[in-house]
Amino acid sequence: MADIIQLLPDHVANQIAAGEVVQRPASVVKELLENAIDAKAETIKLLVKDAGKTLVQVIDDGVGMSVTDARLSFERHATSKIRSAEDLFQLNTKGFRGEALASIAAIAHVELKTKQAQEEVGTAITIEGSEIVNQDVVVTPTGTSIAVKHLFFNIPARRNFLKSNTVETRHIIDEFQRVALAHPSISFVMYHNGSEVFNLPQSNYRQRIVNIFGTKTNEKLVPVNEDTDVLKISGFVGKPEYAKKSRGEQFFFVNNRFIKSAYLNHAITAAFDGLIKDGTHASYFLNLEVNPQTIDINIHPTKTEIKFDDEHTLYAILRASVKHSLGQFNIAPVLDFDRDANLDTPYDYSNKSASTPTIEVDRTFNPFDTEPRVEPSRTTSSSSSSPSSFSGRKPASTSSWESLYVGMESKGTKSQNDFSEIQFESVESTASLFDDSQISSKQSSYQLQNKYVLSAIKSGMLVVDQNRAHQRILYEDFLRYITGKDTVSQQLLFPLQIQLSKQEHDIVLSLKSDLEYAGFVFQNFENQMVEIIGLPINVPESEVSIILEQLISDVEHEVPDANFSAADLLAKSLSKSLAIKSGQSLTQTEQDHLVNSLFACKDPNVSPKNKPTFITMTVDELDKKFM
């Protein structure tokens, strides 16, 4: 039998490796930024076109590469970070496997320009699909510039799996923020389609967070610092009142490398237990420093997951540190048995001297005296039998107790014992399970567990999910307003100002026209501030920030492909935010109106998320339950 096992060609092996390393344009951004950081760059520029599908270019002012290094950098498993297998457990750098550039070059057109400081000229290399097309000497600044063009040009099936430009841009911004947060001492600049998205100067960690997420973030941060033999923690957590429904602002960095860890995330959640509402998530930006020998960062191709030697200890230290910081800065309630707040001296009295109180005693007071006593006057002569006149509080009246009931006699000639008109308080009666007289004949629907609305139909019973049904009703209403452009707004007495981060501001700005058709009226859109002076009729003012937060989250993470319009997304997001929630009690009129409005919709069967809004149970199906 002929041999059937054979070695794969290098270009095929590179494409297989690219499937692990390069999942989307954001993966290229991550690898190139980390290489620039390892090159000791102080300024890094990222240029992106068409969400990275056309161009991803990273320019740095690092140490650069020699001619030989530039050529070797595109070979498989060529790296300057490790020399032996033991070095994998003592890593302090980013890229160490040596497959990133080789994998990228296998599925894209790559142009490299690099020069070292001591050299007069640099090297330019052009690669297309793992094949070196050109290598020349070129005049270029010190550092390295790598341009990745036409990603997945030779694998059209992989290119078809890419999402819309909005989604891919969101992933690129996420990767950029993670790298920029981990290295505040490096200046980062990002451009997308020629416009500047971020310009982050060298700063400290707090300033870097504020520069990325907006100036309002500064007042939300609570510092966390803990130094132990096992773990060193530094960074910030968000105040409980600023917890969000999305998980956008949650960052763990282990030795300046962004990681994802559900286990450590649970430690933060446990520290905030009882301080935030259910369904919301606290923000955190935490740097963890551990011994490199106690972690393994080679268990995942993207190196975003890390295996720890002793996770339980890290969990306990992290949870205790966060709780300590929340208590230290009076964010969480603290039990202190050594201090009484009632004894604190007010600021107005801090410099005043205490006055000595005067005590006056009525020496004529006799607790056994039943006769009414005359209060001695202030003008009594000195010959009075009392040693001293009493000028204190007037004693209570010793009138007879019958005076309390003067005027209580009933008017007219009725006797006090006439109870003919006495009315007793009504006691709420609970109807018997089989008492049909308690059931109103006019009631056409019933609410079950404040979640479902039950209604009788000819064939049996209708069960409506009140939340999904209301979402469908609102969705079609908003879609009709936005597309018809005939909505009515309610004007606010005072403008409503909402501070957003840079990317959140850009998202809302891109949806401005659709939001205006839905009923929002904007007055100002400058300096990452949104000023609203008008709202749709059925949108309460207190819900505006929640609605915008939900809308931004939907655009960032849940937006479908480009064949869906922004109006459709906006209608879905608004209906989800404003719909009746499960657990809300409805009156009989509201139940009937909900059912009638649902079946007046064009498509009452499903919610905007294509989930069923109601089910029916026929009499035959109910009969079978009792067989």
Side-chain angles (χ1 to χ4, degrees):
M1 184 176 177
D3 297 333
I4 60 176
I5 298 178
Q6 58 183 352
L7 291 174
L8 290 174
D10 287 342
H11 67 280
V12 177
N14 287 338
Q15 289 185 0
I16 294 174
E20 296 181 351
V21 178
V22 185
Q23 300 174 359
R24 56 189 353 135
S27 305
V28 177
V29 171
K30 174 180 180 294
E31 297 292 347
L32 297 185
L33 289 177
E34 289 182 348
N35 285 343
I37 293 171
D38 286 339
K40 301 178 182 179
E42 296 182 356
T43 302
I44 300 176
K45 294 182 180 179
L46 171 63
L47 288 75
V48 179
K49 287 185 179 180
D50 298 331
K53 300 174 184 178
T54 302
L55 172 68
V56 173
Q57 184 175 7
V58 173
I59 305 172
D60 67 71
D61 58 353
V63 296
M65 291 182 285
S66 64
V67 178
T68 304
D69 288 344
R71 187 69 177 261
L72 279 176
S73 64
F74 292 98
E75 298 295 331
R76 293 195 66 194
H77 304 305
T79 178
S80 61
K81 312 300 189 309
I82 60 175
R83 290 291 182 268
S84 63
E86 287 76 13
D87 294 338
L88 289 172
F89 299 96
Q90 296 179 351
L91 289 172
N92 293 304
T93 57
K94 306 294 182 185
F96 56 87
R97 290 174 172 173
E99 83 273 32
L101 290 181
S103 300
I104 294 172
I107 54 174
H109 297 172
V110 180
E111 294 180 2
L112 169 69
K113 293 181 180 179
T114 183
K115 185 180 83 71
Q116 294 179 324
Q118 66 273 16
E119 302 291 338
E120 295 183 357
V121 293
T123 304
I125 297 178
T126 303
I127 299 178
E128 295 179 3
S130 296
E131 295 183 2
I132 297 180
V133 177
N134 188 20
Q135 180 174 346
D136 286 324
V137 176
V138 67
V139 176
T140 183
T142 301
T144 303
S145 170
I146 300 182
V148 179
K149 303 178 181 179
H150 312 300
L151 194 65
F152 300 125
F153 79 100
N154 53 354
I155 312 179
R158 289 288 304 279
R159 192 176 181 89
N160 292 336
F161 277 97
L162 296 180
K163 303 297 183 180
S164 63
N165 285 356
T166 305
V167 176
E168 296 300 340
T169 303
R170 177 67 252 172
H171 285 288
I172 290 175
I173 291 177
D174 286 343
E175 292 293 350
F176 179 84
Q177 290 177 349
R178 293 165 182 173
V179 176
L181 281 172
H183 302 87
S185 60
I186 300 176
S187 174
F188 288 89
V189 183
M190 176 181 173
Y191 295 90
H192 183 231
N193 291 336
S195 61
E196 184 179 275
V197 181
F198 289 100
N199 190 345
L200 309 175
Q202 296 180 358
S203 60
N204 57 31
Y205 192 47
R206 189 179 194 121
Q207 291 173 339
R208 177 56 55 90
I209 296 173
V210 172
N211 289 335
I212 292 178
F213 295 101
T215 54
K216 284 288 184 178
T217 311
N218 189 35
E219 63 187 42
K220 306 176 185 179
L221 301 179
V222 178
V224 179
N225 291 285
E226 191 68 39
D227 192 355
T228 66
D229 296 336
V230 179
L231 175 67
K232 182 178 181 182
I233 304 174
S234 62
F236 302 89
V237 294
K239 294 181 180 178
E241 59 264 31
Y242 296 105
K244 294 185 175 182
K245 291 185 177 180
S246 60
R247 298 178 179 268
E249 299 179 359
Q250 295 184 340
F251 297 89
F252 275 126
F253 300 98
V254 175
N255 296 350
N256 293 331
R257 183 190 301 274
F258 173 80
I259 67 158
K260 297 177 181 178
S261 174
Y263 187 69
L264 296 182
N265 179 75
H266 189 272
I268 304 296
T269 305
F272 277 89
D273 187 25
L275 300 178
I276 59 178
K277 298 179 181 178
D278 292 337
T280 59
H281 308 279
S283 303
Y284 54 82
F285 312 86
L286 296 176
N287 296 305
L288 312 179
E289 293 185 20
V290 298
N291 188 344
Q293 296 182 355
T294 62
I295 59 175
D296 185 3
I297 59 179
N298 200 31
I299 62 174
H300 195 274
T302 60
K303 300 185 286 291
T304 56
E305 296 181 9
I306 289 182
K307 184 177 180 181
F308 297 93
D309 281 355
D310 190 359
E311 282 188 332
H312 299 287
T313 302
L314 300 183
Y315 181 99
I317 296 175
L318 183 61
R319 178 177 175 273
S321 301
V322 174
K323 286 186 72 70
H324 174 71
S325 295
L326 293 175
Q328 182 181 8
F329 292 92
N330 295 327
I331 305 300
V334 179
L335 292 177
D336 191 348
F337 298 99
D338 298 330
R339 174 181 172 273
D340 186 359
N342 296 323
L343 301 179
D344 291 346
T345 303
Y347 292 111
D348 294 341
Y349 294 89
S350 58
N351 297 323
K352 292 184 179 181
S353 58
S355 59
T356 304
T358 59
I359 302 175
E360 297 177 348
V361 180
D362 182 8
R363 299 185 182 277
T364 64
F365 175 71
N366 183 3
F368 304 101
D369 188 7
T370 58
E371 296 296 327
R373 179 174 54 86
V374 179
E375 175 72 17
S377 173
R378 289 175 179 266
T379 58
T380 305
S381 62
S382 59
S383 61
S384 173
S385 60
S386 173
S388 63
S389 61
F390 176 64
S391 60
R393 187 178 61 181
K394 182 178 181 179
S397 174
T398 57
S399 301
S400 132
W401 61 269
E402 289 88 349
S403 64
L404 297 174
Y405 298 91
V406 174
M408 293 294 290
E409 293 84 0
S410 59
K411 295 182 180 179
T413 59
K414 292 184 180 180
S415 171
Q416 291 182 349
N417 297 328
D418 187 3
F419 299 104
S420 60
E421 294 188 2
I422 290 180
Q423 296 181 357
F424 296 95
E425 293 184 359
S426 61
V427 180
E428 183 180 355
S429 59
T430 304
S432 172
L433 181 64
F434 302 103
D435 189 2
D436 295 335
S437 63
Q438 297 294 330
I439 303 177
S440 172
S441 59
K442 296 181 180 179
Q443 191 169 357
S444 59
S445 61
Y446 310 91
Q447 192 176 21
L448 178 64
Q449 299 292 329
N450 288 342
K451 185 175 182 181
Y452 300 105
V453 176
L454 280 60
S455 181
I457 56 177
K458 264 187 180 181
S459 60
M461 181 176 61
L462 178 73
V463 183
V464 179
D465 186 312
Q466 65 185 35
N467 176 258
R468 294 181 183 177
H470 199 211
Q471 282 191 40
R472 164 53 61 176
I473 298 168
L474 293 178
Y475 169 71
E476 294 197 2
D477 287 343
F478 279 117
L479 200 59
R480 184 171 62 254
Y481 293 151
I482 297 173
T483 55
K485 304 177 183 179
D486 58 352
T487 186
V488 179
S489 301
Q490 55 181 354
Q491 299 300 309
L492 298 177
L493 185 60
F494 300 102
L496 182 64
Q497 295 182 342
I498 300 177
Q499 184 75 29
L500 302 173
S501 64
K502 172 67 175 174
Q503 59 270 27
E504 291 174 345
H505 184 271
D506 294 339
I507 290 174
V508 176
L509 184 61
S510 65
L511 298 173
K512 179 183 177 183
S513 59
D514 291 317
L515 285 169
E516 288 175 342
Y517 293 142
F520 289 88
V521 181
F522 299 97
Q523 183 175 0
N524 191 5
F525 249 99
E526 298 177 354
N527 299 326
Q528 300 182 20
M529 177 77 72
V530 176
E531 190 170 351
I532 302 174
I533 59 174
L535 298 174
I537 292 178
N538 53 353
V539 175
E541 184 177 350
S542 59
E543 297 287 329
V544 175
S545 59
I546 300 176
I547 292 172
L548 289 182
E549 179 184 335
Q550 184 66 58
L551 176 61
I552 293 169
S553 177
D554 290 342
V555 174
E556 290 178 345
H557 303 101
E558 300 177 16
V559 61
D561 290 335
N563 56 344
F564 284 78
S565 64
D568 182 80
L569 170 67
L570 178 59
K572 287 181 179 178
S573 182
L574 290 175
S575 63
K576 181 168 61 175
S577 299
L578 298 173
I580 297 171
K581 302 298 187 289
S582 297
Q584 182 174 342
S585 178
L586 302 178
T587 64
Q588 182 64 45
T589 304
E590 291 171 339
Q591 296 171 28
D592 295 339
H593 181 70
L594 180 69
V595 175
N596 295 333
S597 299
L598 173 64
F599 289 98
C601 295
K602 293 181 179 179
D603 188 5
N605 298 311
V606 294
S607 70
K609 294 290 187 181
N610 291 323
K611 301 290 185 181
T613 58
F614 67 89
I615 61 171
T616 58
M617 294 188 68
T618 64
V619 177
D620 293 338
E621 291 175 341
L622 290 173
D623 290 340
K624 292 178 181 178
K625 300 291 184 182
F626 295 96
M627 292 179 65

